[in-house]
Amino acid sequence: MDTEYVRSRFIKHFDGTTGFLYASPGRINLIGEHTDYNGGFVFPGAVDKGMIAEIKPNGTDKVKAYSIDLKDYVEFGLNEEDAPRASWARYIFGVCREMIKRGVDVKGFNTAFAGDVPLGAGMSSSAALESTYAFALNELFGENKIDKFELAKVGQATEHNYCGVNCGIMDQFASVFGKAGSLIRLDCRSLEYQYFPFHPEGYRLVLMDSVVKHELASSAYNKRRQSCEAAVAAIQKKHPHVEFLRDCTMTMLEEAKADISAEDYMRAEYVIEEIQRVLEVCEALEKDDYETVGKKMYETHHGMSKLYEVSCEELDFLNDCAKEYGVTGSRVMGGGFGGCTINLVKDELYDNFVEKTKAAFKAKFGRSPKVYDVVIGDGSRRLE
Protein backbone atom coordinates (compact mmCIF):
# COMPACT_ATOMS: atom_id res chain seq x y z
CA MET A 1 0.00 0.00 0.00
CA ASP A 2 1.34 3.39 -1.01
CA THR A 3 1.30 5.76 1.97
CA GLU A 4 3.04 8.55 0.07
CA TYR A 5 0.35 8.56 -2.60
CA VAL A 6 -2.46 8.74 -0.02
CA ARG A 7 -0.66 11.59 1.73
CA SER A 8 -0.14 13.52 -1.52
CA ARG A 9 -3.86 13.27 -2.35
CA PHE A 10 -4.81 14.37 1.18
CA ILE A 11 -2.57 17.43 0.93
CA LYS A 12 -3.95 18.27 -2.52
CA HIS A 13 -7.65 17.99 -1.62
CA PHE A 14 -7.55 19.68 1.76
CA ASP A 15 -5.62 22.57 3.28
CA GLY A 16 -2.08 21.50 2.41
CA THR A 17 -1.33 20.14 5.89
CA THR A 18 -1.01 16.50 6.96
CA GLY A 19 -2.87 14.41 9.52
CA PHE A 20 -2.35 10.86 10.77
CA LEU A 21 -2.13 7.72 8.62
CA TYR A 22 -4.02 4.58 9.60
CA ALA A 23 -4.31 1.17 7.93
CA SER A 24 -6.36 -2.02 8.20
CA PRO A 25 -6.08 -5.18 6.11
CA GLY A 26 -8.41 -7.35 4.10
CA ARG A 27 -8.55 -11.03 4.98
CA ILE A 28 -8.53 -14.58 3.75
CA ASN A 29 -10.22 -17.53 5.42
CA LEU A 30 -8.10 -20.66 5.16
CA ILE A 31 -10.93 -23.02 6.09
CA GLY A 32 -14.30 -22.89 7.87
CA GLU A 33 -16.95 -21.70 5.41
CA HIS A 34 -20.68 -21.36 6.29
CA THR A 35 -19.79 -22.44 9.83
CA ASP A 36 -20.22 -19.01 11.45
CA TYR A 37 -24.03 -18.93 11.57
CA ASN A 38 -23.98 -22.56 12.74
CA GLY A 39 -22.08 -21.70 15.94
CA GLY A 40 -18.84 -23.21 14.62
CA PHE A 41 -15.29 -22.03 14.00
CA VAL A 42 -13.75 -19.89 11.29
CA PHE A 43 -10.02 -19.62 10.59
CA PRO A 44 -9.13 -16.27 9.00
CA GLY A 45 -5.94 -14.28 8.70
CA ALA A 46 -5.26 -10.67 7.79
CA VAL A 47 -3.43 -10.11 4.50
CA ASP A 48 -0.83 -7.67 3.20
CA LYS A 49 -3.47 -5.76 1.22
CA GLY A 50 -5.93 -3.33 2.73
CA MET A 51 -7.00 0.28 3.22
CA ILE A 52 -4.98 3.36 4.16
CA ALA A 53 -6.59 6.59 5.33
CA GLU A 54 -5.16 9.95 6.30
CA ILE A 55 -7.32 11.68 8.89
CA LYS A 56 -7.15 15.09 10.54
CA PRO A 57 -9.70 16.71 12.89
CA ASN A 58 -10.96 19.91 11.23
CA GLY A 59 -12.60 21.76 14.14
CA THR A 60 -16.11 21.60 12.62
CA ASP A 61 -19.06 19.23 12.96
CA LYS A 62 -18.66 18.02 9.36
CA VAL A 63 -16.76 15.09 7.90
CA LYS A 64 -15.08 15.93 4.58
CA ALA A 65 -14.13 12.70 2.84
CA TYR A 66 -12.35 11.99 -0.42
CA SER A 67 -12.22 8.52 -2.01
CA ILE A 68 -8.95 8.51 -3.95
CA ASP A 69 -9.81 5.36 -5.93
CA LEU A 70 -13.27 6.61 -6.95
CA LYS A 71 -12.19 10.28 -7.30
CA ASP A 72 -15.31 11.24 -5.34
CA TYR A 73 -15.73 13.84 -2.58
CA VAL A 74 -18.54 13.90 0.03
CA GLU A 75 -19.35 16.05 3.06
CA PHE A 76 -21.74 14.98 5.79
CA GLY A 77 -22.76 15.84 9.34
CA LEU A 78 -22.63 13.47 12.30
CA ASN A 79 -26.33 13.21 13.19
CA GLU A 80 -28.52 10.28 12.17
CA GLU A 81 -30.37 12.34 9.57
CA ASP A 82 -27.08 13.35 7.87
CA ALA A 83 -26.46 9.96 6.21
CA PRO A 84 -24.76 10.50 2.82
CA ARG A 85 -26.13 8.98 -0.37
CA ALA A 86 -22.82 7.68 -1.75
CA SER A 87 -22.55 4.02 -0.68
CA TRP A 88 -18.80 4.25 0.06
CA ALA A 89 -19.36 7.25 2.36
CA ARG A 90 -22.03 5.38 4.31
CA TYR A 91 -19.32 3.07 5.67
CA ILE A 92 -17.46 6.01 7.17
CA PHE A 93 -20.69 7.66 8.37
CA GLY A 94 -21.85 4.37 9.94
CA VAL A 95 -18.58 3.98 11.84
CA CYS A 96 -18.88 7.56 13.12
CA ARG A 97 -22.45 6.90 14.31
CA GLU A 98 -21.57 3.56 15.94
CA MET A 99 -18.63 5.14 17.78
CA ILE A 100 -20.88 7.99 18.99
CA LYS A 101 -23.38 5.37 20.27
CA ARG A 102 -20.52 3.90 22.32
CA GLY A 103 -19.73 7.22 23.98
CA VAL A 104 -16.93 8.51 21.73
CA ASP A 105 -17.24 12.26 21.13
CA VAL A 106 -16.58 12.16 17.37
CA LYS A 107 -16.08 15.60 15.78
CA GLY A 108 -15.59 16.66 12.18
CA PHE A 109 -12.48 15.60 10.28
CA ASN A 110 -10.89 15.69 6.84
CA THR A 111 -9.95 12.35 5.32
CA ALA A 112 -8.70 10.76 2.11
CA PHE A 113 -8.37 7.01 1.65
CA ALA A 114 -7.35 4.37 -0.87
CA GLY A 115 -7.01 0.61 -0.93
CA ASP A 116 -5.38 -2.27 -2.72
CA VAL A 117 -7.81 -5.00 -1.62
CA PRO A 118 -9.12 -6.46 -4.89
CA LEU A 119 -12.83 -5.66 -5.11
CA GLY A 120 -15.19 -8.62 -5.50
CA ALA A 121 -12.50 -11.16 -4.63
CA GLY A 122 -13.96 -12.00 -1.22
CA MET A 123 -11.16 -10.33 0.76
CA SER A 124 -13.44 -7.86 2.54
CA SER A 125 -12.49 -4.39 1.41
CA SER A 126 -15.51 -3.01 3.30
CA ALA A 127 -14.36 -4.51 6.62
CA ALA A 128 -10.88 -3.06 6.02
CA LEU A 129 -12.43 0.38 5.52
CA GLU A 130 -14.61 0.12 8.63
CA SER A 131 -11.75 -1.14 10.80
CA THR A 132 -9.45 1.67 9.65
CA TYR A 133 -11.91 4.36 10.71
CA ALA A 134 -13.03 2.63 13.92
CA PHE A 135 -9.40 2.29 15.03
CA ALA A 136 -8.59 5.89 14.04
CA LEU A 137 -11.64 7.52 15.67
CA ASN A 138 -11.02 5.55 18.86
CA GLU A 139 -7.53 7.02 19.02
CA LEU A 140 -8.28 10.56 17.80
CA PHE A 141 -11.52 11.19 19.70
CA GLY A 142 -11.93 8.32 22.20
CA GLU A 143 -8.62 8.11 24.09
CA ASN A 144 -8.55 4.44 23.03
CA LYS A 145 -11.34 3.60 25.47
CA ILE A 146 -13.06 1.12 23.12
CA ASP A 147 -11.44 -2.33 23.17
CA LYS A 148 -10.47 -4.17 19.98
CA PHE A 149 -13.39 -6.59 20.08
CA GLU A 150 -15.84 -3.71 20.30
CA LEU A 151 -14.07 -2.03 17.34
CA ALA A 152 -14.77 -5.17 15.28
CA LYS A 153 -18.42 -5.00 16.40
CA VAL A 154 -18.53 -1.32 15.31
CA GLY A 155 -17.69 -2.48 11.76
CA GLN A 156 -20.27 -5.27 11.89
CA ALA A 157 -22.96 -2.89 13.23
CA THR A 158 -22.10 -0.42 10.44
CA GLU A 159 -22.87 -3.14 7.87
CA HIS A 160 -26.14 -4.06 9.62
CA ASN A 161 -27.45 -0.57 10.36
CA TYR A 162 -26.13 1.62 7.54
CA CYS A 163 -25.21 -0.63 4.61
CA GLY A 164 -27.99 -3.25 4.65
CA VAL A 165 -25.71 -6.29 4.97
CA ASN A 166 -26.49 -8.79 7.74
CA CYS A 167 -22.91 -10.10 8.02
CA GLY A 168 -21.16 -12.07 10.74
CA ILE A 169 -18.20 -10.81 12.75
CA MET A 170 -15.36 -12.68 10.99
CA ASP A 171 -14.27 -10.06 8.45
CA GLN A 172 -14.00 -7.16 10.89
CA PHE A 173 -12.50 -9.43 13.57
CA ALA A 174 -9.72 -10.59 11.24
CA SER A 175 -9.05 -7.01 10.10
CA VAL A 176 -8.68 -5.67 13.66
CA PHE A 177 -6.94 -8.66 15.27
CA GLY A 178 -4.68 -9.81 12.41
CA LYS A 179 -1.08 -10.72 13.21
CA ALA A 180 1.75 -11.39 10.76
CA GLY A 181 2.67 -15.09 10.65
CA SER A 182 -0.54 -16.20 12.38
CA LEU A 183 -4.04 -17.33 11.54
CA ILE A 184 -6.83 -16.91 14.09
CA ARG A 185 -9.34 -19.55 15.10
CA LEU A 186 -12.50 -17.75 16.15
CA ASP A 187 -15.24 -19.60 17.99
CA CYS A 188 -18.36 -17.96 16.52
CA ARG A 189 -20.50 -19.00 19.50
CA SER A 190 -18.34 -17.90 22.45
CA LEU A 191 -16.21 -15.37 20.47
CA GLU A 192 -13.10 -16.86 22.09
CA TYR A 193 -10.11 -16.85 19.78
CA GLN A 194 -6.65 -18.34 19.51
CA TYR A 195 -3.66 -17.59 17.26
CA PHE A 196 -2.04 -20.46 15.36
CA PRO A 197 1.34 -20.28 13.60
CA PHE A 198 1.27 -19.98 9.82
CA HIS A 199 4.79 -20.20 8.39
CA PRO A 200 4.38 -22.14 5.17
CA GLU A 201 8.06 -22.28 4.22
CA GLY A 202 8.35 -23.72 0.75
CA TYR A 203 4.71 -22.88 -0.04
CA ARG A 204 2.81 -19.84 -1.26
CA LEU A 205 -0.80 -18.77 -0.79
CA VAL A 206 -2.40 -17.60 -4.00
CA LEU A 207 -5.96 -16.63 -4.86
CA MET A 208 -7.35 -17.44 -8.30
CA ASP A 209 -10.20 -15.03 -8.99
CA SER A 210 -12.83 -16.44 -11.34
CA VAL A 211 -14.02 -12.85 -12.01
CA VAL A 212 -17.60 -14.05 -11.75
CA LYS A 213 -20.32 -13.35 -9.21
CA HIS A 214 -23.62 -15.13 -9.70
CA GLU A 215 -26.75 -13.23 -8.79
CA LEU A 216 -28.44 -15.98 -6.79
CA ALA A 217 -25.93 -15.64 -3.95
CA SER A 218 -28.11 -13.86 -1.37
CA SER A 219 -31.31 -15.89 -1.84
CA ALA A 220 -29.33 -19.15 -1.93
CA TYR A 221 -27.48 -18.13 1.24
CA ASN A 222 -30.78 -17.60 3.09
CA LYS A 223 -32.07 -20.94 1.83
CA ARG A 224 -29.01 -22.75 3.18
CA ARG A 225 -29.39 -21.10 6.57
CA GLN A 226 -32.99 -22.37 6.63
CA SER A 227 -31.79 -25.90 5.81
CA CYS A 228 -29.36 -25.82 8.74
CA GLU A 229 -32.09 -24.55 11.07
CA ALA A 230 -34.47 -27.27 9.88
CA ALA A 231 -31.86 -29.95 10.63
CA VAL A 232 -31.24 -28.51 14.12
CA ALA A 233 -35.00 -28.42 14.84
CA ALA A 234 -35.33 -32.11 13.88
CA ILE A 235 -32.31 -33.12 15.99
CA GLN A 236 -33.60 -31.15 19.00
CA LYS A 237 -36.62 -33.49 19.31
CA LYS A 238 -34.28 -36.18 20.64
CA HIS A 239 -31.43 -33.94 21.85
CA PRO A 240 -33.02 -30.81 23.38
CA HIS A 241 -29.62 -29.39 24.46
CA VAL A 242 -28.61 -28.85 20.81
CA GLU A 243 -28.51 -25.17 19.86
CA PHE A 244 -26.53 -25.17 16.60
CA LEU A 245 -25.13 -27.72 14.14
CA ARG A 246 -21.89 -27.12 16.08
CA ASP A 247 -23.44 -29.27 18.86
CA CYS A 248 -24.33 -32.13 16.51
CA THR A 249 -22.58 -35.31 15.47
CA MET A 250 -23.17 -37.28 12.28
CA THR A 251 -24.87 -39.94 14.44
CA MET A 252 -27.43 -37.38 15.63
CA LEU A 253 -28.02 -36.22 12.06
CA GLU A 254 -28.48 -39.81 10.93
CA GLU A 255 -31.15 -40.32 13.64
CA ALA A 256 -33.09 -37.32 12.29
CA LYS A 257 -32.71 -38.31 8.63
CA ALA A 258 -36.34 -39.43 8.24
CA ASP A 259 -37.62 -36.08 9.56
CA ILE A 260 -35.81 -33.79 7.13
CA SER A 261 -35.47 -33.46 3.37
CA ALA A 262 -32.55 -35.01 1.53
CA GLU A 263 -31.36 -31.49 0.72
CA ASP A 264 -31.41 -30.38 4.38
CA TYR A 265 -29.51 -33.55 5.31
CA MET A 266 -26.75 -32.78 2.77
CA ARG A 267 -26.41 -29.20 3.95
CA ALA A 268 -26.10 -30.27 7.59
CA GLU A 269 -23.63 -33.04 6.72
CA TYR A 270 -21.33 -30.49 5.08
CA VAL A 271 -21.44 -28.13 8.07
CA ILE A 272 -20.81 -30.81 10.72
CA GLU A 273 -17.82 -32.10 8.74
CA GLU A 274 -16.49 -28.60 8.05
CA ILE A 275 -16.51 -27.62 11.73
CA GLN A 276 -14.41 -30.73 12.43
CA ARG A 277 -12.04 -29.91 9.54
CA VAL A 278 -11.19 -26.52 11.07
CA LEU A 279 -10.03 -28.25 14.27
CA GLU A 280 -7.99 -30.78 12.27
CA VAL A 281 -6.27 -28.00 10.30
CA CYS A 282 -5.34 -26.23 13.56
CA GLU A 283 -3.74 -29.44 14.83
CA ALA A 284 -1.87 -29.89 11.55
CA LEU A 285 -0.49 -26.33 11.64
CA GLU A 286 0.92 -26.86 15.13
CA LYS A 287 3.00 -29.67 13.56
CA ASP A 288 3.86 -27.69 10.39
CA ASP A 289 1.97 -30.40 8.50
CA TYR A 290 0.91 -28.50 5.39
CA GLU A 291 0.09 -31.68 3.43
CA THR A 292 -2.79 -32.38 5.83
CA VAL A 293 -3.86 -28.74 5.62
CA GLY A 294 -4.03 -29.08 1.82
CA LYS A 295 -5.97 -32.35 1.98
CA LYS A 296 -8.60 -30.72 4.22
CA MET A 297 -8.89 -27.76 1.81
CA TYR A 298 -9.74 -30.14 -1.04
CA GLU A 299 -12.30 -31.89 1.21
CA THR A 300 -13.91 -28.50 1.92
CA HIS A 301 -14.15 -27.73 -1.79
CA HIS A 302 -15.81 -31.08 -2.45
CA GLY A 303 -18.29 -30.44 0.37
CA MET A 304 -19.10 -26.92 -0.79
CA SER A 305 -19.53 -28.09 -4.37
CA LYS A 306 -21.43 -31.38 -3.92
CA LEU A 307 -23.17 -31.15 -0.50
CA TYR A 308 -23.70 -27.43 0.14
CA GLU A 309 -23.89 -26.67 -3.60
CA VAL A 310 -22.45 -23.16 -3.45
CA SER A 311 -19.72 -23.59 -6.05
CA CYS A 312 -20.08 -22.95 -9.78
CA GLU A 313 -18.58 -24.26 -13.01
CA GLU A 314 -15.71 -21.74 -13.00
CA LEU A 315 -14.68 -22.48 -9.41
CA ASP A 316 -14.86 -26.24 -9.90
CA PHE A 317 -12.70 -25.84 -13.01
CA LEU A 318 -10.08 -23.86 -11.04
CA ASN A 319 -10.11 -26.54 -8.33
CA ASP A 320 -9.64 -29.28 -10.97
CA CYS A 321 -6.69 -27.35 -12.45
CA ALA A 322 -5.11 -27.13 -8.99
CA LYS A 323 -5.36 -30.92 -8.60
CA GLU A 324 -3.97 -31.50 -12.08
CA TYR A 325 -0.96 -29.25 -11.55
CA GLY A 326 0.01 -30.71 -8.17
CA VAL A 327 -1.26 -27.94 -5.87
CA THR A 328 -1.18 -29.04 -2.21
CA GLY A 329 -4.58 -27.59 -1.29
CA SER A 330 -7.35 -25.67 -3.07
CA ARG A 331 -10.93 -24.69 -2.36
CA VAL A 332 -13.55 -22.05 -3.06
CA MET A 333 -13.14 -19.22 -0.54
CA GLY A 334 -16.10 -17.27 0.81
CA GLY A 335 -19.83 -17.72 0.44
CA GLY A 336 -19.58 -19.25 -3.04
CA PHE A 337 -21.30 -18.74 -6.43
CA GLY A 338 -18.21 -16.94 -7.73
CA GLY A 339 -15.18 -15.19 -6.35
CA CYS A 340 -11.89 -16.98 -5.71
CA THR A 341 -10.26 -20.25 -4.97
CA ILE A 342 -7.56 -20.13 -2.30
CA ASN A 343 -4.57 -22.31 -3.14
CA LEU A 344 -1.62 -23.60 -1.11
CA VAL A 345 1.11 -24.12 -3.70
CA LYS A 346 4.68 -25.43 -3.43
CA ASP A 347 7.17 -22.78 -4.53
CA GLU A 348 8.58 -24.92 -7.33
CA LEU A 349 5.12 -25.58 -8.81
CA TYR A 350 3.85 -22.01 -8.58
CA ASP A 351 4.85 -20.64 -12.01
CA ASN A 352 3.59 -23.72 -13.88
CA PHE A 353 0.29 -23.71 -11.95
CA VAL A 354 -0.42 -20.03 -12.59
CA GLU A 355 0.59 -20.10 -16.26
CA LYS A 356 -1.26 -23.29 -17.20
CA THR A 357 -4.39 -22.49 -15.17
CA LYS A 358 -4.71 -19.05 -16.75
CA ALA A 359 -4.35 -20.56 -20.24
CA ALA A 360 -6.80 -23.41 -19.59
CA PHE A 361 -9.37 -21.08 -17.97
CA LYS A 362 -9.15 -18.61 -20.87
CA ALA A 363 -9.54 -21.40 -23.41
CA LYS A 364 -12.72 -22.59 -21.68
CA PHE A 365 -14.35 -19.35 -20.48
CA GLY A 366 -12.90 -16.73 -22.83
CA ARG A 367 -11.22 -14.64 -20.14
CA SER A 368 -8.29 -15.00 -17.76
CA PRO A 369 -8.67 -15.41 -14.00
CA LYS A 370 -6.99 -12.76 -11.86
CA VAL A 371 -4.13 -13.93 -9.63
CA TYR A 372 -3.41 -12.50 -6.18
CA ASP A 373 -0.48 -13.59 -4.05
CA VAL A 374 -1.21 -13.09 -0.36
CA VAL A 375 1.00 -12.89 2.69
CA ILE A 376 -0.45 -13.01 6.22
CA GLY A 377 -0.01 -9.57 7.79
CA ASP A 378 -0.88 -7.33 10.75
CA GLY A 379 -4.26 -5.90 11.74
CA SER A 380 -5.48 -2.31 12.28
CA ARG A 381 -2.74 0.14 13.21
CA ARG A 382 -1.50 3.72 13.03
CA LEU A 383 1.30 4.03 10.50
CA GLU A 384 2.83 7.23 11.86
Side-chain angles (χ1 to χ4, degrees), residues 333-348:
M333 185 181 83
F337 304 108
C340 292
T341 58
I342 179 168
N343 302 273
L344 183 65
V345 192
K346 283 184 175 158
D347 287 344
E348 63 269 23

Side-chain angles (χ1 to χ4, degrees), residues 174 290 334 369:
Y290 288 92

Side-chain angles (χ1 to χ4, degrees), residues 122-324:
M123 292 168 76
S124 289
S125 55
S126 60
L129 185 62
E130 292 150 5
S131 301
T132 301
Y133 282 93
F135 188 92
L137 298 183
N138 191 36
E139 191 174 283
L140 292 171
F141 300 108
E143 298 174 334
N144 286 317
K145 67 181 179 185
I146 308 290
D147 68 36
K148 283 170 77 174
F149 228 117
E150 199 58 35
L151 293 181
K153 288 178 180 174
V154 162
Q156 183 189 26
T158 295
E159 298 271 3
H160 291 187
N161 298 330
Y162 299 95
C163 305
V165 178
N166 190 24
C167 65
I169 192 75
M170 175 176 75
D171 296 351
Q172 293 81 6
F173 173 85
S175 188
V176 171
F177 280 85
K179 191 162 85 173
S182 296
L183 298 177
I184 321 163
R185 186 177 72 200
L186 174 65
D187 182 329
C188 294
R189 179 164 58 189
S190 70
L191 297 183
E192 293 172 327
Y193 64 94
Q194 185 179 345
Y195 289 99
F196 284 82
F198 188 73
H199 304 293
E201 285 178 29
Y203 297 88
R204 289 162 77 168
L205 266 185
V206 58
L207 303 185
M208 282 280 178
D209 186 352
S210 67
V211 204
V212 68
K213 194 72 190 165
H214 291 288
E215 285 309 306
L216 76 156
S218 57
S219 60
Y221 171 84
N222 292 335
K223 203 157 175 288
R224 276 149 188 78
R225 283 193 78 148
Q226 287 159 10
S227 283
C228 294
E229 286 157 12
V232 167
I235 290 165
Q236 280 171 335
K237 290 175 190 169
K238 193 167 178 183
H239 303 278
H241 72 280
V242 162
E243 191 184 353
F244 294 106
L245 283 176
R246 152 82 173 275
D247 305 313
C248 302
T249 62
M250 282 304 298
T251 306
M252 291 180 190
L253 180 63
E254 200 61 38
E255 290 168 353
K257 193 170 188 177
D259 300 331
I260 56 175
S261 70
E263 185 177 275
D264 291 351
Y265 181 91
M266 280 197 321
R267 307 296 188 242
E269 179 185 357
Y270 162 74
V271 171
I272 292 168
E273 290 176 346
E274 179 73 349
I275 289 169
Q276 185 57 35
R277 275 191 288 269
V278 177
L279 301 177
E280 289 166 355
V281 164
C282 291
E283 276 180 36
L285 283 179
E286 290 191 308
K287 301 173 193 160
D288 280 337
D289 176 5
Y290 288 92
E291 293 301 311
T292 295
V293 172
K295 182 168 167 272
K296 296 297 164 189
M297 290 169 73
Y298 278 117
E299 287 175 12
T300 291
H301 186 88
H302 180 268
M304 286 181 79
S305 178
K306 304 297 183 278
L307 297 175
Y308 222 62
E309 296 182 305
V310 292
S311 188
C312 61
E313 186 186 4
E314 294 90 343
L315 291 167
D316 287 344
F317 184 82
L318 288 171
N319 187 256
D320 288 342
C321 286
K323 274 191 199 129
E324 189 178 338

Side-chain angles (χ1 to χ4, degrees), residues 36-47:
D36 52 350
Y37 52 85
N38 287 296
F41 301 95
V42 290
F43 201 42
V47 298

